[in-house]
Amino acid sequence: MHEILFQQISRVLPLHTALDAMAVSTEARYPGIRVAFWLANHDQGQMQLLVAPTLGPVLEPWSGKIQIHRDSLCCGRAVYSGQPERIPS
């Protein structure tokens, strides 16, 4: 269901616009939650930051520097393992 909905949205809006809207609305609905969308670039073995409305200035320097492997930072480890990761506050 979520995949079908996302496909419909992404046909109408550019990817960054759709992801930014999802992140902003999620952060507004759930105070204390911060959302960032990363793209897994498997060819380069790295994560690229796509959208982070609140955390952009903090995360942008890490874009392209987070490796995809089991000992990586949480998002690289999540892609490697296929399991969600939560960043501790």
Side-chain angles (χ1 to χ4, degrees):
M1 172 69 175
H2 290 102
E3 184 175 330
I4 293 169
L5 180 59
F6 185 73
Q7 287 174 358
Q8 295 298 319
I9 292 169
S10 64
R11 286 184 184 144
V12 176
L13 298 171
L15 179 61
H16 280 79
T17 303
L19 292 176
D20 188 61
M22 290 168 47
V24 168
S25 65
T26 300
E27 288 183 358
R29 185 171 182 176
Y30 302 101
I33 298 266
R34 300 296 170 251
V35 177
F37 287 101
W38 294 80
L39 175 66
N41 184 332
H42 291 280
D43 292 335
Q44 295 180 2
Q46 299 173 335
M47 303 295 296
Q48 300 293 326
L49 182 64
L50 292 180
V51 173
T54 305
L55 297 173
V58 174
L59 297 177
E60 185 61 40
W62 291 95
S63 186
K65 296 179 182 173
I66 297 176
Q67 301 296 312
I68 299 172
H69 61 76
R70 65 185 166 119
D71 297 324
S72 184
L73 296 175
C74 65
C75 59
R77 190 171 51 243
V79 170
Y80 177 84
S81 70
Q83 299 296 315
E85 291 275 339
R86 183 175 184 272
I87 299 173
S89 51

